Amino acid sequence: MSDHESGDETQQAQGGSVEQELCTKTLQIQSKRFYLDVKQNRRGRFIKIAEVGAGGKKTRLLLAMSIAAEFRDYLTDFSEHYASLGPPNPDSLPEDGKLKSETMVKDNRRYYLDLKENQRGRFLRVSVSQTRTRGGPRSQIAIPAQGMIEFRDSLTDILDEFGTDDHGESDEGQSELPDSKYLRVENKVFYFDVGSNRRGVYLRVSEVRTNYRTAITIPERSWGRFRDMLSEYADRPGSSAKGDNNSQ
């Protein structure tokens, strides 16, 4: 679970199914922080993007892995167009401030990509709406134009590791993985999430505190050695770890 999500919440996915976090990346672009979380539930695999502004305001949107790949490619096009623009000139701007626009469609969602300019600068606004619902609210994020390349590169790293298949591994393979657990210690929460990718099965151990998160990933082939090393520390004379079993 990422630091931008409450540590007291049970991870839930769309439709109420249990949600497993496979990977997370953090980007700091100007005054904004972006979290890219790869998640998986019974419906498949997707990326949850969260934008946190300087004032702490959060906005989120979801991308299926296949649409994330299309978005990654569009980021290259938008970056090249941005690089070709001259200095900002308020007198030559379109009335709506749009410099370039594209649209992506996935199932019943439509994604709008708009490179815009206003008094604060140039940025890429990404918004999504339900095609079956007219006039409803849109989820959206705004990426500073200077950060589009960095954003694209982070998406590329994710897609290289997890692929562009929305369904991820088969249900049969996923059912063999242990359930996620967590351990609360004073003001910290440790999450233990087992996942798999092209390199094999792994354990991600995340330490979460208010406004702070760090994680390590342990390949399955190393679990035994980690267990033995932890047991050696826990069983040493005078250790206070003996009998402590507050995990869930």
Side-chain angles (χ1 to χ4, degrees):
M1 179 176 289
S2 304
D3 60 345
H4 53 99
E5 297 174 293
S6 169
D8 295 329
E9 293 179 356
T10 301
Q11 290 183 335
Q12 296 293 323
Q14 311 156 72
S17 59
V18 175
E19 189 176 281
Q20 181 185 22
E21 182 177 293
L22 305 180
C23 170
T24 187
K25 285 183 175 290
T26 305
L27 299 177
Q28 185 73 40
I29 302 176
Q30 296 182 347
S31 62
K32 295 183 177 182
R33 182 179 292 123
F34 295 89
Y35 297 94
L36 283 67
D37 297 329
V38 182
K39 295 179 176 288
Q40 184 165 287
N41 59 24
R42 292 179 181 175
R43 297 183 179 181
R45 187 174 289 173
F46 58 95
I47 300 175
K48 178 184 288 185
I49 300 176
E51 172 195 335
V52 183
K57 182 180 178 181
K58 301 177 183 178
T59 55
R60 300 179 178 88
L61 58 83
L62 304 181
L63 297 175
M65 302 303 286
S66 58
I67 205 72
E70 186 176 351
F71 177 44
R72 184 265 316 275
D73 295 338
Y74 272 127
L75 280 171
T76 298
D77 294 340
F78 277 92
S79 298
E80 292 175 351
H81 183 76
Y82 168 67
S84 70
L85 298 174
N89 183 359
D91 297 331
S92 63
L93 280 179
E95 291 185 3
D96 58 3
K98 294 181 180 179
L99 305 172
K100 177 179 173 63
S101 296
E102 297 287 352
T103 303
M104 305 183 299
V105 178
K106 172 69 175 178
D107 298 330
N108 64 332
R109 290 185 174 88
R110 181 172 285 115
Y111 298 83
Y112 302 90
L113 312 179
D114 298 301
L115 181 62
K116 303 190 69 176
E117 182 176 330
N118 58 24
Q119 295 179 348
R120 290 176 291 179
R122 291 167 175 165
F123 60 94
L124 178 65
R125 186 181 66 186
V126 185
S127 58
V128 58
S129 66
Q130 298 280 343
T131 57
R132 299 174 184 174
T133 304
R134 294 185 178 180
R138 291 186 182 181
S139 301
Q140 65 179 32
I141 61 172
I143 305 170
Q146 297 91 329
M148 289 190 294
I149 291 293
E150 185 179 0
F151 207 98
R152 181 204 63 188
D153 291 346
S154 292
L155 271 180
T156 298
D157 290 343
I158 288 174
L159 295 169
D160 285 347
E161 180 172 359
F162 295 97
T164 60
D165 185 357
D166 297 334
H167 301 292
E169 284 79 11
S170 66
D171 293 339
E172 179 180 354
Q174 286 297 312
S175 64
E176 299 175 357
L177 298 179
D179 294 333
S180 298
K181 294 182 179 294
Y182 70 90
L183 172 67
R184 194 178 301 275
V185 181
E186 298 175 353
N187 66 332
K188 300 179 182 180
V189 181
F190 295 91
Y191 293 93
F192 301 83
D193 301 301
V194 178
S196 63
N197 56 29
R198 295 175 181 176
R199 299 175 184 147
V201 177
Y202 61 87
L203 171 66
R204 184 179 299 275
V205 183
S206 307
E207 174 191 347
V208 179
R209 291 184 286 176
T210 304
N211 297 324
Y212 174 81
R213 181 191 192 277
T214 187
I216 61 171
T217 301
I218 306 170
E220 185 181 27
R221 61 182 178 274
S222 302
W223 291 359
R225 283 179 285 169
F226 268 82
R227 176 200 60 207
D228 295 342
M229 191 169 293
L230 286 173
S231 295
E232 182 178 340
Y233 283 116
D235 295 340
R236 78 185 193 280
S239 172
S240 60
K242 295 180 178 180
D244 184 6
N245 188 22
N246 294 323
S247 63
Q248 297 188 31

